[in-house]
Amino acid sequence: MGEAVVAAHNVFVYGSLLADDVVRVLLNRVPTSSAALLNGFHRFSIKGRVYPAILPVRNRHVSGRVLMGITDPELHILDEFEDVEYQRTRVEVSLLESSDKLQAHAYVWSNASDPNLYGDWDFEEWKQVHKESFIKMTMGFMEEQELPESKPRVATYESFYQQDAAENRNER
C-alpha cells in the first residue's frame, strides 16, 4: 500500500501566533519557523481586541515569521482559531535570513473598512500585558473544540475576556 501524502503548508504569523506558547497550545508542537517580512501590508490594533489585524497598505510592511511544515489538520485548527474575522490568503513573504521569497498563507482581516482598526500593534507590549490571559483563552478554545457543539473562537474570546474583566472588577 502507498503511504499517505501529508501536505505541508507555510503560514505567515504576525500577532499572538508569534508566541511559541500560543502555537504549542493550538498545534501541540512548535513548528520550524523563520523570520520574515510581508510587504504591502500594515499591522493594525483593533479596538476591543488584544490581537492585531493586517490589511494591504501600500509602502508598508509587517514583520513576523513563517511557520513551516504545517499539516492539513493543523491548518484546519488555525482556520478555526482565526474564525470569520480573518480570511486565509496566499501571500509572498521575504525570509530575513536569506531574502528568499516564499509563498505562504496569511490571515488577513476580513473587514477592510473596519472603523475599529487603528495605529500599530506592538508584540512586546502584548507579551507583557496580554500573553498570559491569551494563552488561557486559547486553552479554553482548544477544550471547546473537543465538544460536539463547540463555540467559534470569537465567542470563546468574548466570553473569556468578559469573564476576566468581571473577575478583575470583583478583586478591586
Side-chain angles (χ1 to χ4, degrees), residues 9-12 14 54 70-72 74-80 82-91 104-110:
H9 304 276
N10 298 318
V11 178
F12 177 77
Y14 55 86
I54 60 169
I70 300 297
T71 64
D72 284 341
E74 290 172 332
L75 191 62
H76 177 73
I77 289 168
L78 294 175
D79 285 347
E80 293 294 311
E82 299 298 353
D83 206 6
V84 297
E85 292 182 311
Y86 296 88
Q87 180 73 44
R88 180 166 31 102
T89 306
R90 274 268 201 224
V91 296
H105 297 289
Y107 291 93
V108 177
W109 195 246
S110 295

Side-chain angles (χ1 to χ4, degrees), residues 8 31 33 41 47-48 60 79 90-91 107 113 125 127 131 142 144 146-148 150 154 172:
S33 68
F41 281 80
K47 184 179 176 187
R60 298 303 300 257
D79 285 347
R90 274 268 201 224
V91 296
Y107 291 93
S113 59
E125 178 185 325
K127 282 196 315 191
K131 179 181 166 188
M142 290 306 289
E144 184 74 30
E146 304 294 320
L147 302 175
S150 62
V154 171
R172 291 183 188 151

Side-chain angles (χ1 to χ4, degrees), residues 12-28:
F12 177 77
V13 297
Y14 55 86
S16 61
L17 294 177
L18 289 171
D20 286 347
D21 294 337
V22 174
V23 173
R24 189 177 293 110
V25 169
L26 291 170
L27 305 182
N28 283 318

